[in-house]
Amino acid sequence: MWGCAVAAVAKTKKTSNPDLFSDVSILRRKWQAALKPGRDLPFFEDVLLGSLGRLADHIMLVKDTGDKIRASHAGRYVEQWLETEIRETPFDGFPPDCALILREAVASARHTGKPYLATAHCVRNGLVQIYDVFALPVASRWGGIMTSVYVNQRGLQYNLLDAVFSAAGDGVLSLATIRDAHGRPADFQIVHLNQGTSRLLRLPPDELRWHLLSAATHVLCSPDVFSKLCVVIDTGISEQFEVSDEMSTLKISAAPVGDMLALSLTDVTDMKRREQSFRLLFDSNPMPMWVFDVETRRFRNVNDAALSHYGYDRATFLSMQLQDLWPRDEWEEHSRALVGVGDVYNSGRNWRHLKADGSEIEVLTFGRRVTFEGRDCFLVSAVDITERRRAEARIAYMAHHDGLTNLPNRVMFQERLRHDLERNHPAGKNVAVLCIDLDLFKNVNDSFGHPVGDKLLIEVAQRLAESVRGGNLVARLGGDEFAMILAANVSPNEVSAQAAQIIEMVSAPYRIDGLEVVIGASIGIAISPGDGGTAEELLRNADMALYRAKSEGGGVHHFFEKEMDRLAQRRRDMEIDLRHALASGEFELHYQPLVDLAQDRIVSFEALLRWRHPEKGMISPADFIPLAEDIGLIVPLGEWVLREACKQAAEWPSDVRVAVNLSAAQFRNRNLSQAVFTALAQSGLSPLRLELEITESIFLADSEANLAILHQLREFGVRISMDDFGTGYSSLSYLRSFPFDKIKIDRSFVRDIAERPDSIAIVRAISGLGRSLNISTTAEGVETVDQLDWLRSEGCTEVQGFLFSPARPASEIAALLGKFGSRATRAA
């Protein structure tokens, strides 16, 4: 049976892994076989007693005594390895390389609860020996855990220096000097070399070893190399030099050892290529670059871009030190920045540099430590950011200043106001804010154009800036609105005097492009803390006071009052309601009749907008129309009026027209013609029955474009009427610019016609003008029979007013027409 087993084993050995019967494998199987079900570790006796044989010399028993790990017993082989007799010996008493691997193996075995194999590389007398260190954790029958460690050499030992020498990437070789009859070096013979030498010289070792340099063809055979090697032998001084062929560049270090030479060969081909690339990038780079010595701070190289940018010739630049580029007041800061610099440097701030002509530039510098010509140096590139910094400063300035007048803008004004309030409040000092708006500025823009308006704003800004003293500030908030801060704890009387002085100063005539221009100013004033404790409150309240000054006709200043805040809130509430009203259908049209005096009947109705608020009832147009214009609602509101008036007029008798008022904002929208055509198309009303009433304000801006719209509408058949004639500046010139169908005499002339001769003269002149130009005339605001008689006698064509009827809802038009019939004036 045993013979069969042995045979079986022998057969198995031929076909299985040879490691199967190694000492480590045998111990691993014994440990596994001794492990009983339900136990974590086998007992020591079951694994290691009885059948170890020769393995016993390779076993060491390790115990953990609590404070230290100790080896309690070891075989002769282990003791020889550890060079120590083992008797309860701590690991600290072992050679360091052995102790380190033992700790690793024992700790790993105990942690995992399984055998652990480690490998030790021990160096003795220059020879490297490899050992298997196999730790097996076992249990003691008396309690506790022990570790049995097996140690055995694996493979052959080898010489460490030979291994390093052979494996080195650089070439290492020894040359014997061959001398002639006179004792002079005549040749050199290679007596020893490593694989690195064979690789670098691109020849097999056998074609190099024992061969003379003079008989070979590799790079060491050149006359130049031979000459340098002879110098080393003759002087006994080591030398380094480089040799190249078409494929590579080698750096050779030659050191004399008696009559022999020790050579090391290093392939520097890639480094040389990098240096060549560096020089190409350095010399041709458009960015200023230089190399300076870390120790001396002298420049060692510079590219053409730096010479051109800084204005030096090469010789002068290379004679300078780094600090020659620095302004003297930054020497210490520059020097501190260089202390402790690593391999890479990026400037964390802008630096000032001096050019050859003494001018300064701002730069960012970036550096990298390099070896240049054998010296520790820094390669530096400089980015000139002077223009960028100027642009940034300009942008920062523009962000806080008005582009036209160069005064501070709204942003800077608010920042400064907050600062003044924070500074003055703890001391109990006030701050005054003046909001300044130019009177009649729009007329200047409309009459003379925006270029003149811009020049006027510049001159106004200069006058205001000259009036500012001390810590006060004047700013342009936008358009023709300026603001001023008086931060010197001024009294209301002083603020009032200052405001009056500003109005007088701004109102003085201006001479612009040969024109004399006269404007005025209105000012609103708010003073902290009573009128507000924050910048926002003060500015808002000063603006409300300005609104009051403007509403009083301009040319005055007004202090903020609490009542203004209430009115402003009322305006805000109305704005919200107004926006909601159009969508909710709260608007309606009322119509006032126009009576033709010759026919003595109603020939037209003027559509007048009314707002029926669900809670406040009827709101006067005088209250909501200006607000609708301010908030941009007048255009959609005007389009609704057009559609509704045309739709309702389409139900009237065909000889009765409807008149609709247009605002200048509707002309600016440029969609007016389309809105009129759409209203007519949807309602089916004839264009001949629609009359559009305009005021001369539409001619004050974009007059040519507005005239084109009027001509387009008139050609379509729509009648055009000039409303409030005689109250503007240039009404007569407008009559020549456009063929109006009707002019309406303002009610201010009709009201006093019976008492004032000048009113009679004006009405007579307008009526005569209408007859001469074949334009009908309508007198507005007729309330008495006397007024009617005067107007009839002066030749007015039509009349309109409460004498006949106030404006009525659309539902009453039919009854109104029936009441007046064909004898309107008698019905009145």
Side-chain angles (χ1 to χ4, degrees), residues 32-53:
Q32 192 65 43
L35 183 63
K36 298 294 189 285
R39 295 196 58 82
D40 294 330
L41 296 173
F43 285 113
F44 165 75
E45 296 82 358
D46 296 339
V47 178
L48 299 173
L49 293 184
S51 60
L52 288 179

Side-chain angles (χ1 to χ4, degrees), residues 288 290 305-312 317 325 353-357 361 363 365 382:
W290 55 78
L307 296 175
S308 173
H309 199 75
Y310 283 81
Y312 292 98
F317 199 99
L325 294 182
H353 275 189
L354 293 174
K355 299 175 73 172
D357 61 4
I361 57 175
V363 299
T365 54

Side-chain angles (χ1 to χ4, degrees), residues 765-775:
I766 295 174
S767 298
L769 185 63
R771 286 192 299 272
S772 300
L773 297 175
N774 198 27
I775 300 175

Side-chain angles (χ1 to χ4, degrees), residues 1-10:
M1 180 176 178
W2 279 105
C4 294
V6 170
V9 169

